[in-house]
Amino acid sequence: MDIQNPQPDNILLCQFDVENLTTKAVVIDINNIRNKLSGAFAPYPNGNDQFHYQFSTDSDTGVDRLEITFSKGHYHLSDIRWYLYDQPLLTAKEYTPLTDSGTVTAQSDGYLITSIPLQNGLEILVDGKTAELVKVNEAFAGTYLKKGEHTVEFRFTPPGKAAGCIVSTSASAGYVIYLVYILLRQCKHNTGRNCI
């Protein structure tokens, strides 16, 4: 399919919803970018019922052609949306690195984004108070920061750590008691009297 009015220096984005009307997988390739909705009986169904595509090119004309391949099956596509994103904006990132002292200065209200996976037991403290964790970039931990200077601290307590410590301590104490019992029993057996 040819694009009549290609836009140079723009990234073409496409997204749509997929409703699978059979138990087979749905696979749609557009310009060699593949999205797949697993079949109903797949070992690990992905539940991917919204397909996303991103097209860019180094050509001076921009993306001028889409080659689409549909898998066999019976499915319904809906809510098809197209967007243009100005490619030079990708290089216009603004960020404030966290210094060694744990302070950050936010030039405006925004989000602190980390490369730490969002997981149970993770805590971000802003100015000494626990901040609400937000999922950023699909999988990582972040939190909202107001404009100004903040002290940021990261803490991680593995889930189940307290229970694990209790079990380990109890097991160690039980083993020590067992050893003492064995030693006292051997002493009594060898001497014929209590060894306490």
Side-chain angles (χ1 to χ4, degrees):
M1 175 175 86
D2 291 327
I3 297 176
Q4 299 300 321
N5 187 19
Q7 300 291 313
D9 295 325
N10 276 279
I11 296 172
L12 181 62
L13 304 171
C14 176
Q15 132 184 354
F16 52 83
D17 296 334
V18 179
E19 180 185 3
N20 192 355
L21 303 175
T22 67
T23 58
K24 296 181 180 179
V26 176
V27 179
I28 301 176
D29 290 331
I30 305 178
N31 286 15
N32 296 317
I33 299 172
R34 173 169 287 185
N35 269 267
K36 179 178 183 178
L37 170 59
S38 302
F41 300 110
Y44 303 102
N46 63 14
N48 180 27
D49 57 4
Q50 189 174 75
F51 287 8
H52 299 269
Y53 299 87
Q54 175 180 312
F55 311 103
S56 62
T57 181
D58 294 330
S59 165
D60 292 336
T61 60
V63 179
D64 56 4
R65 180 164 179 76
L66 296 177
E67 295 183 15
I68 306 172
T69 306
F70 297 96
S71 64
K72 292 180 181 180
H74 190 63
Y75 43 90
H76 183 255
L77 308 182
S78 63
D79 200 17
I80 300 171
R81 288 173 273 173
W82 295 92
Y83 304 96
L84 286 176
Y85 185 80
D86 191 9
Q87 196 162 356
L89 290 175
L90 290 176
T91 59
K93 293 182 181 177
E94 290 186 23
Y95 65 93
T96 305
L98 192 63
T99 62
D100 292 336
S101 62
T103 60
V104 63
T105 302
Q107 301 299 324
S108 61
D109 292 356
Y111 286 91
L112 171 69
I113 297 174
T114 74
S115 58
I116 302 169
L118 186 61
Q119 55 193 306
N120 291 334
L122 178 65
E123 189 178 11
I124 299 178
L125 286 84
V126 177
D127 300 327
K129 297 178 183 175
T130 301
E132 182 181 351
L133 292 177
V134 177
K135 186 185 344 179
V136 294
N137 296 333
E138 301 295 327
F140 300 101
T143 191
Y144 183 77
L145 285 182
K146 290 190 174 183
K147 180 179 179 180
E149 186 170 301
H150 301 280
T151 302
V152 178
E153 182 182 349
F154 300 90
R155 290 185 187 167
F156 181 72
T157 305
K161 179 181 177 183
C165 289
I166 290 170
V167 169
S168 296
T169 303
S170 300
S172 297
Y175 185 65
V176 168
I177 291 170
Y178 174 74
L179 288 178
V180 169
Y181 170 76
I182 294 296
L183 289 173
L184 291 175
R185 189 171 167 188
Q186 285 180 348
C187 179
K188 184 177 179 182
H189 182 274
N190 291 339
T191 64
R193 57 193 167 103
N194 289 338
C195 297
I196 298 179

